[in-house]
Amino acid sequence: WVFLWQKGYQETDSVVSSVTTKVKGVTLTNTSTLGARIWDVADYVIPPQGENTVFVMTNVILTLNQSQGRCPELPDDKTECQVKNNSCFPGYVSTHSNGIQTGECVSYNSSIKTCEVLAWCPVEDDSHIPKPAFLQAAENFTLLVKNNIWYRKFNFSKRNILPTINSTYLKDCIYDAHTDPFCPIFRLGQIVEAAGQDFQEMAVEGGVMALQINWDCNLDRAASHCVPKYSFRRLDNKDTAHTVSPGYNFRFAKYYKNSDGTESRTLVKAFGIRFHIVVFGKAGKFDVIPTMINIGSGLALFGVATVLCDIVVLYCMKKRYYYREKKYKYVEDYEL
Amino acid sequence: WVFLWQKGYQETDSVVSSVTTKVKGVTLTNTSTLGARIWDVADYVIPPQGENTVFVMTNVILTLNQSQGRCPELPDDKTECQVKNNSCFPGYVSTHSNGIQTGECVSYNSSIKTCEVLAWCPVEDDSHIPKPAFLQAAENFTLLVKNNIWYRKFNFSKRNILPTINSTYLKDCIYDAHTDPFCPIFRLGQIVEAAGQDFQEMAVEGGVMALQINWDCNLDRAASHCVPKYSFRRLDNKDTAHTVSPGYNFRFAKYYKNSDGTESRTLVKAFGIRFHIVVFGKAGKFDVIPTMINIGSGLALFGVATVLCDIVVLYCMKKRYYYREKKYKYVEDYEL
Amino acid sequence: WVFLWQKGYQETDSVVSSVTTKVKGVTLTNTSTLGARIWDVADYVIPPQGENTVFVMTNVILTLNQSQGRCPELPDDKTECQVKNNSCFPGYVSTHSNGIQTGECVSYNSSIKTCEVLAWCPVEDDSHIPKPAFLQAAENFTLLVKNNIWYRKFNFSKRNILPTINSTYLKDCIYDAHTDPFCPIFRLGQIVEAAGQDFQEMAVEGGVMALQINWDCNLDRAASHCVPKYSFRRLDNKDTAHTVSPGYNFRFAKYYKNSDGTESRTLVKAFGIRFHIVVFGKAGKFDVIPTMINIGSGLALFGVATVLCDIVVLYCMKKRYYYREKKYKYVEDYEL
């Protein structure tokens, strides 16, 4: 019966949640431009704290030592030029420009000339994305999720670090759907795999993942039965054919002051995986009011049966005149 | 009939959403203190990534080369002083102070003396907001919104970049309610105008805008009919008479290390427009349970008619005794 | 009656909200490593703007002048070593490492030797948390919360700065549950106290607080009756026995370029209080449809009475045959 199956006798409430996260892990990269370099949490988690989100940089295009000045624009079909028929217009700027054209046509390299721009120079060249990803070791970084939920109507609150978990266990555990379903520490590679994706492939262009925490609870039972269930999903479309700027990236800059007082910056185009911690859930608890309302509706449904029978008997059957006569009692007018 | 009109036969679910944004645009400013300067995304989007929010700086008060030290406070009725009757108290600090008073009274300029404070010096003077806005060209910047939604109950997910849109179209399109209702790229000026506001006026003191995405869907129809609808609204009150700190601004600093090892910073009071991407929606799909419950309630309503008729006939009409006699069959006590 | 008590005749809607915040306050610290130093908003609010969240740093572990290099790891049971039986392995890195082991065993101080790591050097020593908290004066900082809500179904919007409040009042008021329940400016110490916590204790290791705004409104009454109600709650578990990384902290870095072109950074482990502004509420307004549905359910409940009576009379009582005879009229088959 619907009433019992759908728990129609319960009042329901949806979850109010707060999330904090912490990433751990260190890796070493070795490139010709940067040399050996250690990357730790303060380097690859940007911004250092989010609300329900944490971003881990997995790949990066660095443009070192940019300063305000004039330099050739990146070559594409609109910015390439020849000195003779000048296609550069002073002041011109398009959506995809790195700066504002000066009108000059200058050498980008030995073979190509492009329009000169006023910009942070040299302009970023993001045509080649490092592959494999620069910080491919991010696969083994860990993410600790602390989640506190609250069912306001029932004044019931709980954390995803269950009271049964002790700190020794928490220091070394890693979430596993089968063996450690309540450990709140996740290996990044595992989150991505559990969503059916390939971490190394995703690390190159970035992506958006959801770490879902489901707190569906029946509060008529003991509070210890109300436990979080984790699941994982990829949120951005993997199908690169139909997307502008596939994956996930954004730009930011670190600003420096040179010894002569001028400003320079390092422009960072950060590709990476953004983890959304999505918390949902519904709690139900016995309450007299929805019980009554649902019983009412339920019984009214039985009433439907009577009405339908009557309709069939009185209007559809051959012998309807006979039945109708029996059914209705005609009240003769009193005064007659 | 209410039942059909309100789609009472459908189970409903509310939307779970994830949003990422990207701003594009470059502008040039030319002032006496800064000289010619190019502003690009890494300069005016702060922080570089938000959750459902993106902030574009449109106006700015820069205080260059601040360092820890002693300097005169900004003059107002509480901080102005005369050397004779000293109104400065060592250690005093109020809510609106820039620093902690030393107790001295020093010259702010040739005519005014104010209390000296320990602070980042020189203190910021934000009494004059640049007008027109410093980055007024922000009107032509573009905002790309990528939104992925999910109806959990029906396991239905969709993106605001519809499958029918190809990447050539996306490269150049700009949202327009009439001609391009599904283009996810918005001109900032257009968003503000669509909400009935003036961009240049808003740019001076900042403001908060909502970009609303409505995903109301009837999932009994084909998935391709489930499309986003965009709308725009201003969230902060324009009426400046009744507000403290009208508009929207916040302060942050860029820290530098001087060649002698001391720290200095550039304090930035950033005015700008904060865009909230608000996603809402309800999906409905046929389901047998709410259908039954609603039919039940609906039919019970018909029952009301009978009851009301009875009440009128039996209690209100003159001939009520006659009807009552007919209606009720008095069962004599068996044993009598 | 349930119908009136639960306002069953109203259509309900849940709140859509946008929040902006602003913190004010200055404090002075005096330590041997940093000397006298002023901290203002740009220093202790990180990131400078959040969505529904604002973080105020109350305690800090600074590691100045870090640069990429080799140095001894922090001593613990896994990283301590003796030169003879070398327990350091080149390339080894664990979850809690600060860097990647080189395989050498070097002196941490005069008595202890630890494994050498490639890392940002010197490594952070966070074993001693300053107590009392470094920025204990944060207790007197103030937090201005601007909140705009919207009930979409009724197109009703309102701000928490009520129209009756003038700007003179707002300049100096401080929220107090009894005397100033509508002042949107909160003393941080008061928020924490109202949740039954001790600010100075919380300031040491940090914590997460909720500032709840309740907008439950009956829109059948005048709009001026729809006012916010503030309440306060601590979200993280105070019980330190059962938690990893109790309190709330995160790490970030400020990057500098030295005069010789090398990069150094100041690593900041920021402890502090994160304030979540949680907005909830339900508005109800008279609407004919839920009224009808609820009346239906309600009357169906009366129908239950009749049905129950019938069941008792016809099946349970001794004289049931007699009643049953009276109740049902047996219709003989017409053709017979």
mmCIF file with all atom_site columns, all heavy atoms in Angstrom, chain A residues 22 38 40 43 49 65 146 148 152, chain C residues 68 120 216 235 245 248-249 255 257 265:
data_model
loop_
_atom_site.group_PDB
_atom_site.id
_atom_site.type_symbol
_atom_site.label_atom_id
_atom_site.label_alt_id
_atom_site.label_comp_id
_atom_site.label_asym_id
_atom_site.label_entity_id
_atom_site.label_seq_id
_atom_site.pdbx_PDB_ins_code
_atom_site.Cartn_x
_atom_site.Cartn_y
_atom_site.Cartn_z
_atom_site.occupancy
_atom_site.B_iso_or_equiv
_atom_site.pdbx_formal_charge
_atom_site.auth_seq_id
_atom_site.auth_comp_id
_atom_site.auth_asym_id
_atom_site.auth_atom_id
_atom_site.pdbx_PDB_model_num
ATOM 1   N N   . LYS A 1 22  ? 40.006 19.691 3.008   1.00 0.00 ? 22  LYS A N   1
ATOM 2   C CA  . LYS A 1 22  ? 41.457 19.849 3.143   1.00 0.00 ? 22  LYS A CA  1
ATOM 3   C C   . LYS A 1 22  ? 42.147 18.860 2.228   1.00 0.00 ? 22  LYS A C   1
ATOM 4   O O   . LYS A 1 22  ? 41.866 17.666 2.265   1.00 0.00 ? 22  LYS A O   1
ATOM 5   C CB  . LYS A 1 22  ? 41.857 19.605 4.597   1.00 0.00 ? 22  LYS A CB  1
ATOM 6   C CG  . LYS A 1 22  ? 43.265 20.035 4.886   1.00 0.00 ? 22  LYS A CG  1
ATOM 7   C CD  . LYS A 1 22  ? 43.501 20.146 6.369   1.00 0.00 ? 22  LYS A CD  1
ATOM 8   C CE  . LYS A 1 22  ? 44.210 21.425 6.707   1.00 0.00 ? 22  LYS A CE  1
ATOM 9   N NZ  . LYS A 1 22  ? 44.380 21.591 8.152   1.00 0.00 ? 22  LYS A NZ  1
ATOM 10  N N   . ILE A 1 38  ? 59.178 21.882 -6.206  1.00 0.00 ? 38  ILE A N   1
ATOM 11  C CA  . ILE A 1 38  ? 58.240 21.168 -5.339  1.00 0.00 ? 38  ILE A CA  1
ATOM 12  C C   . ILE A 1 38  ? 56.909 21.907 -5.352  1.00 0.00 ? 38  ILE A C   1
ATOM 13  O O   . ILE A 1 38  ? 56.881 23.132 -5.300  1.00 0.00 ? 38  ILE A O   1
ATOM 14  C CB  . ILE A 1 38  ? 58.799 21.137 -3.896  1.00 0.00 ? 38  ILE A CB  1
ATOM 15  C CG1 . ILE A 1 38  ? 59.972 20.178 -3.791  1.00 0.00 ? 38  ILE A CG1 1
ATOM 16  C CG2 . ILE A 1 38  ? 57.724 20.800 -2.884  1.00 0.00 ? 38  ILE A CG2 1
ATOM 17  C CD1 . ILE A 1 38  ? 59.578 18.733 -3.822  1.00 0.00 ? 38  ILE A CD1 1
ATOM 18  N N   . ASP A 1 40  ? 53.347 22.114 -3.281  1.00 0.00 ? 40  ASP A N   1
ATOM 19  C CA  . ASP A 1 40  ? 52.557 21.653 -2.140  1.00 0.00 ? 40  ASP A CA  1
ATOM 20  C C   . ASP A 1 40  ? 51.188 22.344 -2.118  1.00 0.00 ? 40  ASP A C   1
ATOM 21  O O   . ASP A 1 40  ? 50.825 23.065 -3.059  1.00 0.00 ? 40  ASP A O   1
ATOM 22  C CB  . ASP A 1 40  ? 53.320 21.817 -0.828  1.00 0.00 ? 40  ASP A CB  1
ATOM 23  C CG  . ASP A 1 40  ? 53.539 23.270 -0.447  1.00 0.00 ? 40  ASP A CG  1
ATOM 24  O OD1 . ASP A 1 40  ? 52.998 24.149 -1.132  1.00 0.00 ? 40  ASP A OD1 1
ATOM 25  O OD2 . ASP A 1 40  ? 54.255 23.517 0.531   1.00 0.00 ? 40  ASP A OD2 1
ATOM 26  N N   . ASP A 1 43  ? 50.494 25.757 -3.164  1.00 0.00 ? 43  ASP A N   1
ATOM 27  C CA  . ASP A 1 43  ? 50.776 26.048 -4.572  1.00 0.00 ? 43  ASP A CA  1
ATOM 28  C C   . ASP A 1 43  ? 49.642 25.627 -5.512  1.00 0.00 ? 43  ASP A C   1
ATOM 29  O O   . ASP A 1 43  ? 49.380 26.297 -6.491  1.00 0.00 ? 43  ASP A O   1
ATOM 30  C CB  . ASP A 1 43  ? 52.049 25.316 -5.025  1.00 0.00 ? 43  ASP A CB  1
ATOM 31  C CG  . ASP A 1 43  ? 53.296 25.806 -4.299  1.00 0.00 ? 43  ASP A CG  1
ATOM 32  O OD1 . ASP A 1 43  ? 53.386 27.017 -4.050  1.00 0.00 ? 43  ASP A OD1 1
ATOM 33  O OD2 . ASP A 1 43  ? 54.166 24.979 -3.996  1.00 0.00 ? 43  ASP A OD2 1
ATOM 34  N N   . GLN A 1 49  ? 40.669 28.338 0.072   1.00 0.00 ? 49  GLN A N   1
ATOM 35  C CA  . GLN A 1 49  ? 39.477 27.716 0.647   1.00 0.00 ? 49  GLN A CA  1
ATOM 36  C C   . GLN A 1 49  ? 38.259 28.103 -0.167  1.00 0.00 ? 49  GLN A C   1
ATOM 37  O O   . GLN A 1 49  ? 38.128 29.237 -0.602  1.00 0.00 ? 49  GLN A O   1
ATOM 38  C CB  . GLN A 1 49  ? 39.280 28.119 2.105   1.00 0.00 ? 49  GLN A CB  1
ATOM 39  C CG  . GLN A 1 49  ? 39.008 29.581 2.298   1.00 0.00 ? 49  GLN A CG  1
ATOM 40  C CD  . GLN A 1 49  ? 38.183 29.867 3.535   1.00 0.00 ? 49  GLN A CD  1
ATOM 41  O OE1 . GLN A 1 49  ? 37.786 28.973 4.251   1.00 0.00 ? 49  GLN A OE1 1
ATOM 42  N NE2 . GLN A 1 49  ? 37.900 31.124 3.777   1.00 0.00 ? 49  GLN A NE2 1
ATOM 43  N N   . ASN A 1 65  ? 57.340 36.536 -15.948 1.00 0.00 ? 65  ASN A N   1
ATOM 44  C CA  . ASN A 1 65  ? 57.899 37.859 -16.194 1.00 0.00 ? 65  ASN A CA  1
ATOM 45  C C   . ASN A 1 65  ? 57.132 38.709 -17.191 1.00 0.00 ? 65  ASN A C   1
ATOM 46  O O   . ASN A 1 65  ? 57.720 39.342 -18.060 1.00 0.00 ? 65  ASN A O   1
ATOM 47  C CB  . ASN A 1 65  ? 59.345 37.723 -16.681 1.00 0.00 ? 65  ASN A CB  1
ATOM 48  C CG  . ASN A 1 65  ? 60.269 37.497 -15.509 1.00 0.00 ? 65  ASN A CG  1
ATOM 49  O OD1 . ASN A 1 65  ? 60.082 38.108 -14.467 1.00 0.00 ? 65  ASN A OD1 1
ATOM 50  N ND2 . ASN A 1 65  ? 61.223 36.608 -15.683 1.00 0.00 ? 65  ASN A ND2 1
ATOM 51  N N   . LYS A 1 146 ? 34.889 17.405 5.497   1.00 0.00 ? 146 LYS A N   1
ATOM 52  C CA  . LYS A 1 146 ? 34.137 17.446 6.755   1.00 0.00 ? 146 LYS A CA  1
ATOM 53  C C   . LYS A 1 146 ? 32.771 18.053 6.476   1.00 0.00 ? 146 LYS A C   1
ATOM 54  O O   . LYS A 1 146 ? 32.685 19.154 5.928   1.00 0.00 ? 146 LYS A O   1
ATOM 55  C CB  . LYS A 1 146 ? 34.876 18.288 7.793   1.00 0.00 ? 146 LYS A CB  1
ATOM 56  C CG  . LYS A 1 146 ? 36.191 17.662 8.228   1.00 0.00 ? 146 LYS A CG  1
ATOM 57  C CD  . LYS A 1 146 ? 36.605 18.129 9.620   1.00 0.00 ? 146 LYS A CD  1
ATOM 58  C CE  . LYS A 1 146 ? 37.803 19.036 9.581   1.00 0.00 ? 146 LYS A CE  1
ATOM 59  N NZ  . LYS A 1 146 ? 38.161 19.555 10.919  1.00 0.00 ? 146 LYS A NZ  1
ATOM 60  N N   . ASN A 1 148 ? 28.825 18.762 7.984   1.00 0.00 ? 148 ASN A N   1
ATOM 61  C CA  . ASN A 1 148 ? 27.912 18.802 9.113   1.00 0.00 ? 148 ASN A CA  1
ATOM 62  C C   . ASN A 1 148 ? 26.523 19.072 8.570   1.00 0.00 ? 148 ASN A C   1
ATOM 63  O O   . ASN A 1 148 ? 26.332 20.022 7.808   1.00 0.00 ? 148 ASN A O   1
ATOM 64  C CB  . ASN A 1 148 ? 28.352 19.942 10.045  1.00 0.00 ? 148 ASN A CB  1
ATOM 65  C CG  . ASN A 1 148 ? 27.515 20.027 11.275  1.00 0.00 ? 148 ASN A CG  1
ATOM 66  O OD1 . ASN A 1 148 ? 26.331 20.276 11.195  1.00 0.00 ? 148 ASN A OD1 1
ATOM 67  N ND2 . ASN A 1 148 ? 28.127 19.814 12.428  1.00 0.00 ? 148 ASN A ND2 1
ATOM 68  N N   . ARG A 1 152 ? 16.390 20.893 10.205  1.00 0.00 ? 152 ARG A N   1
ATOM 69  C CA  . ARG A 1 152 ? 15.879 21.974 11.032  1.00 0.00 ? 152 ARG A CA  1
ATOM 70  C C   . ARG A 1 152 ? 14.573 21.600 11.744  1.00 0.00 ? 152 ARG A C   1
ATOM 71  O O   . ARG A 1 152 ? 14.424 21.852 12.924  1.00 0.00 ? 152 ARG A O   1
ATOM 72  C CB  . ARG A 1 152 ? 15.640 23.159 10.097  1.00 0.00 ? 152 ARG A CB  1
ATOM 73  C CG  . ARG A 1 152 ? 15.201 24.423 10.754  1.00 0.00 ? 152 ARG A CG  1
ATOM 74  C CD  . ARG A 1 152 ? 14.904 25.411 9.638   1.00 0.00 ? 152 ARG A CD  1
ATOM 75  N NE  . ARG A 1 152 ? 13.975 26.408 10.076  1.00 0.00 ? 152 ARG A NE  1
ATOM 76  C CZ  . ARG A 1 152 ? 13.095 27.015 9.288   1.00 0.00 ? 152 ARG A CZ  1
ATOM 77  N NH1 . ARG A 1 152 ? 13.040 26.696 8.000   1.00 0.00 ? 152 ARG A NH1 1
ATOM 78  N NH2 . ARG A 1 152 ? 12.274 27.906 9.761   1.00 0.00 ? 152 ARG A NH2 1
ATOM 79  N N   . GLN C 1 68  ? 62.628 27.087 -2.451  1.00 0.00 ? 68  GLN C N   1
ATOM 80  C CA  . GLN C 1 68  ? 62.797 25.702 -2.883  1.00 0.00 ? 68  GLN C CA  1
ATOM 81  C C   . GLN C 1 68  ? 64.194 25.232 -2.514  1.00 0.00 ? 68  GLN C C   1
ATOM 82  O O   . GLN C 1 68  ? 65.177 25.926 -2.784  1.00 0.00 ? 68  GLN C O   1
ATOM 83  C CB  . GLN C 1 68  ? 62.611 25.622 -4.391  1.00 0.00 ? 68  GLN C CB  1
ATOM 84  C CG  . GLN C 1 68  ? 61.242 26.063 -4.870  1.00 0.00 ? 68  GLN C CG  1
ATOM 85  C CD  . GLN C 1 68  ? 60.286 24.914 -5.015  1.00 0.00 ? 68  GLN C CD  1
ATOM 86  O OE1 . GLN C 1 68  ? 60.696 23.763 -5.058  1.00 0.00 ? 68  GLN C OE1 1
ATOM 87  N NE2 . GLN C 1 68  ? 58.999 25.209 -5.085  1.00 0.00 ? 68  GLN C NE2 1
ATOM 88  N N   . TRP C 1 120 ? 59.786 23.303 0.133   1.00 0.00 ? 120 TRP C N   1
ATOM 89  C CA  . TRP C 1 120 ? 59.909 24.711 0.420   1.00 0.00 ? 120 TRP C CA  1
ATOM 90  C C   . TRP C 1 120 ? 60.586 24.767 1.789   1.00 0.00 ? 120 TRP C C   1
ATOM 91  O O   . TRP C 1 120 ? 60.019 24.297 2.779   1.00 0.00 ? 120 TRP C O   1
ATOM 92  C CB  . TRP C 1 120 ? 58.551 25.387 0.466   1.00 0.00 ? 120 TRP C CB  1
ATOM 93  C CG  . TRP C 1 120 ? 57.912 25.649 -0.857  1.00 0.00 ? 120 TRP C CG  1
ATOM 94  C CD1 . TRP C 1 120 ? 56.993 24.868 -1.475  1.00 0.00 ? 120 TRP C CD1 1
ATOM 95  C CD2 . TRP C 1 120 ? 58.098 26.791 -1.702  1.00 0.00 ? 120 TRP C CD2 1
ATOM 96  N NE1 . TRP C 1 120 ? 56.605 25.433 -2.660  1.00 0.00 ? 120 TRP C NE1 1
ATOM 97  C CE2 . TRP C 1 120 ? 57.276 26.629 -2.830  1.00 0.00 ? 120 TRP C CE2 1
ATOM 98  C CE3 . TRP C 1 120 ? 58.890 27.938 -1.618  1.00 0.00 ? 120 TRP C CE3 1
ATOM 99  C CZ2 . TRP C 1 120 ? 57.208 27.557 -3.864  1.00 0.00 ? 120 TRP C CZ2 1
ATOM 100 C CZ3 . TRP C 1 120 ? 58.821 28.868 -2.660  1.00 0.00 ? 120 TRP C CZ3 1
ATOM 101 C CH2 . TRP C 1 120 ? 58.003 28.673 -3.768  1.00 0.00 ? 120 TRP C CH2 1
ATOM 102 N N   . ASP C 1 216 ? 10.736 33.138 7.616   1.00 0.00 ? 216 ASP C N   1
ATOM 103 C CA  . ASP C 1 216 ? 9.387  32.574 7.545   1.00 0.00 ? 216 ASP C CA  1
ATOM 104 C C   . ASP C 1 216 ? 8.365  33.703 7.526   1.00 0.00 ? 216 ASP C C   1
ATOM 105 O O   . ASP C 1 216 ? 8.340  34.532 8.431   1.00 0.00 ? 216 ASP C O   1
ATOM 106 C CB  . ASP C 1 216 ? 9.130  31.653 8.745   1.00 0.00 ? 216 ASP C CB  1
ATOM 107 C CG  . ASP C 1 216 ? 9.802  30.306 8.553   1.00 0.00 ? 216 ASP C CG  1
ATOM 108 O OD1 . ASP C 1 216 ? 10.147 29.986 7.412   1.00 0.00 ? 216 ASP C OD1 1
ATOM 109 O OD2 . ASP C 1 216 ? 9.990  29.582 9.540   1.00 0.00 ? 216 ASP C OD2 1
ATOM 110 N N   . LEU C 1 235 ? 29.006 24.900 13.967  1.00 0.00 ? 235 LEU C N   1
ATOM 111 C CA  . LEU C 1 235 ? 28.809 23.802 13.027  1.00 0.00 ? 235 LEU C CA  1
ATOM 112 C C   . LEU C 1 235 ? 29.813 22.672 13.192  1.00 0.00 ? 235 LEU C C   1
ATOM 113 O O   . LEU C 1 235 ? 29.490 21.528 12.940  1.00 0.00 ? 235 LEU C O   1
ATOM 114 C CB  . LEU C 1 235 ? 28.873 24.316 11.590  1.00 0.00 ? 235 LEU C CB  1
ATOM 115 C CG  . LEU C 1 235 ? 27.702 25.190 11.162  1.00 0.00 ? 235 LEU C CG  1
ATOM 116 C CD1 . LEU C 1 235 ? 27.896 25.642 9.734   1.00 0.00 ? 235 LEU C CD1 1
ATOM 117 C CD2 . LEU C 1 235 ? 26.389 24.437 11.280  1.00 0.00 ? 235 LEU C CD2 1
ATOM 118 N N   . SER C 1 245 ? 42.304 16.929 12.721  1.00 0.00 ? 245 SER C N   1
ATOM 119 C CA  . SER C 1 245 ? 42.419 18.361 12.528  1.00 0.00 ? 245 SER C CA  1
ATOM 120 C C   . SER C 1 245 ? 41.201 19.099 13.088  1.00 0.00 ? 245 SER C C   1
ATOM 121 O O   . SER C 1 245 ? 40.355 19.560 12.344  1.00 0.00 ? 245 SER C O   1
ATOM 122 C CB  . SER C 1 245 ? 42.637 18.714 11.054  1.00 0.00 ? 245 SER C CB  1
ATOM 123 O OG  . SER C 1 245 ? 41.636 18.166 10.235  1.00 0.00 ? 245 SER C OG  1
ATOM 124 N N   . TYR C 1 248 ? 39.332 24.804 12.563  1.00 0.00 ? 248 TYR C N   1
ATOM 125 C CA  . TYR C 1 248 ? 39.319 25.085 11.139  1.00 0.00 ? 248 TYR C CA  1
ATOM 126 C C   . TYR C 1 248 ? 40.568 25.865 10.766  1.00 0.00 ? 248 TYR C C   1
ATOM 127 O O   . TYR C 1 248 ? 40.869 26.894 11.366  1.00 0.00 ? 248 TYR C O   1
ATOM 128 C CB  . TYR C 1 248 ? 38.067 25.884 10.768  1.00 0.00 ? 248 TYR C CB  1
ATOM 129 C CG  . TYR C 1 248 ? 37.983 26.163 9.304   1.00 0.00 ? 248 TYR C CG  1
ATOM 130 C CD1 . TYR C 1 248 ? 37.832 25.107 8.413   1.00 0.00 ? 248 TYR C CD1 1
ATOM 131 C CD2 . TYR C 1 248 ? 38.098 27.439 8.800   1.00 0.00 ? 248 TYR C CD2 1
ATOM 132 C CE1 . TYR C 1 248 ? 37.791 25.341 7.057   1.00 0.00 ? 248 TYR C CE1 1
ATOM 133 C CE2 . TYR C 1 248 ? 38.053 27.682 7.444   1.00 0.00 ? 248 TYR C CE2 1
ATOM 134 C CZ  . TYR C 1 248 ? 37.893 26.616 6.575   1.00 0.00 ? 248 TYR C CZ  1
ATOM 135 O OH  . TYR C 1 248 ? 37.863 26.838 5.228   1.00 0.00 ? 248 TYR C OH  1
ATOM 136 N N   . ASN C 1 249 ? 41.289 25.366 9.808   1.00 0.00 ? 249 ASN C N   1
ATOM 137 C CA  . ASN C 1 249 ? 42.465 26.089 9.326   1.00 0.00 ? 249 ASN C CA  1
ATOM 138 C C   . ASN C 1 249 ? 42.742 25.714 7.889   1.00 0.00 ? 249 ASN C C   1
ATOM 139 O O   . ASN C 1 249 ? 42.241 24.710 7.385   1.00 0.00 ? 249 ASN C O   1
ATOM 140 C CB  . ASN C 1 249 ? 43.686 25.770 10.198  1.00 0.00 ? 249 ASN C CB  1
ATOM 141 C CG  . ASN C 1 249 ? 44.070 24.309 10.099  1.00 0.00 ? 249 ASN C CG  1
ATOM 142 O OD1 . ASN C 1 249 ? 44.555 23.859 9.074   1.00 0.00 ? 249 ASN C OD1 1
ATOM 143 N ND2 . ASN C 1 249 ? 43.839 23.551 11.168  1.00 0.00 ? 249 ASN C ND2 1
ATOM 144 N N   . TYR C 1 255 ? 53.699 35.033 -2.435  1.00 0.00 ? 255 TYR C N   1
ATOM 145 C CA  . TYR C 1 255 ? 54.905 34.791 -3.204  1.00 0.00 ? 255 TYR C CA  1
ATOM 146 C C   . TYR C 1 255 ? 55.650 36.098 -3.454  1.00 0.00 ? 255 TYR C C   1
ATOM 147 O O   . TYR C 1 255 ? 55.034 37.119 -3.778  1.00 0.00 ? 255 TYR C O   1
ATOM 148 C CB  . TYR C 1 255 ? 54.558 34.130 -4.535  1.00 0.00 ? 255 TYR C CB  1
ATOM 149 C CG  . TYR C 1 255 ? 53.970 32.752 -4.341  1.00 0.00 ? 255 TYR C CG  1
ATOM 150 C CD1 . TYR C 1 255 ? 52.607 32.583 -4.145  1.00 0.00 ? 255 TYR C CD1 1
ATOM 151 C CD2 . TYR C 1 255 ? 54.785 31.637 -4.315  1.00 0.00 ? 255 TYR C CD2 1
ATOM 152 C CE1 . TYR C 1 255 ? 52.070 31.321 -3.930  1.00 0.00 ? 255 TYR C CE1 1
ATOM 153 C CE2 . TYR C 1 255 ? 54.254 30.377 -4.112  1.00 0.00 ? 255 TYR C CE2 1
ATOM 154 C CZ  . TYR C 1 255 ? 52.901 30.232 -3.917  1.00 0.00 ? 255 TYR C CZ  1
ATOM 155 O OH  . TYR C 1 255 ? 52.373 28.990 -3.701  1.00 0.00 ? 255 TYR C OH  1
ATOM 156 N N   . LYS C 1 257 ? 59.385 37.886 -5.212  1.00 0.00 ? 257 LYS C N   1
ATOM 157 C CA  . LYS C 1 257 ? 60.546 37.649 -6.052  1.00 0.00 ? 257 LYS C CA  1
ATOM 158 C C   . LYS C 1 257 ? 61.720 38.382 -5.428  1.00 0.00 ? 257 LYS C C   1
ATOM 159 O O   . LYS C 1 257 ? 61.635 39.574 -5.125  1.00 0.00 ? 257 LYS C O   1
ATOM 160 C CB  . LYS C 1 257 ? 60.281 38.179 -7.459  1.00 0.00 ? 257 LYS C CB  1
ATOM 161 C CG  . LYS C 1 257 ? 61.261 37.634 -8.462  1.00 0.00 ? 257 LYS C CG  1
ATOM 162 C CD  . LYS C 1 257 ? 60.948 38.139 -9.842  1.00 0.00 ? 257 LYS C CD  1
ATOM 163 C CE  . LYS C 1 257 ? 59.905 37.287 -10.526 1.00 0.00 ? 257 LYS C CE  1
ATOM 164 N NZ  . LYS C 1 257 ? 59.573 37.770 -11.856 1.00 0.00 ? 257 LYS C NZ  1
ATOM 165 N N   . ARG C 1 265 ? 58.623 32.553 -0.616  1.00 0.00 ? 265 ARG C N   1
ATOM 166 C CA  . ARG C 1 265 ? 57.237 32.740 -0.211  1.00 0.00 ? 265 ARG C CA  1
ATOM 167 C C   . ARG C 1 265 ? 57.129 32.775 1.298   1.00 0.00 ? 265 ARG C C   1
ATOM 168 O O   . ARG C 1 265 ? 58.019 32.306 2.016   1.00 0.00 ? 265 ARG C O   1
ATOM 169 C CB  . ARG C 1 265 ? 56.349 31.620 -0.771  1.00 0.00 ? 265 ARG C CB  1
ATOM 170 C CG  . ARG C 1 265 ? 56.581 30.281 -0.128  1.00 0.00 ? 265 ARG C CG  1
ATOM 171 C CD  . ARG C 1 265 ? 55.555 29.238 -0.593  1.00 0.00 ? 265 ARG C CD  1
ATOM 172 N NE  . ARG C 1 265 ? 55.604 28.062 0.283   1.00 0.00 ? 265 ARG C NE  1
ATOM 173 C CZ  . ARG C 1 265 ? 54.903 26.957 0.096   1.00 0.00 ? 265 ARG C CZ  1
ATOM 174 N NH1 . ARG C 1 265 ? 54.097 26.844 -0.952  1.00 0.00 ? 265 ARG C NH1 1
ATOM 175 N NH2 . ARG C 1 265 ? 54.989 25.949 0.942   1.00 0.00 ? 265 ARG C NH2 1
#
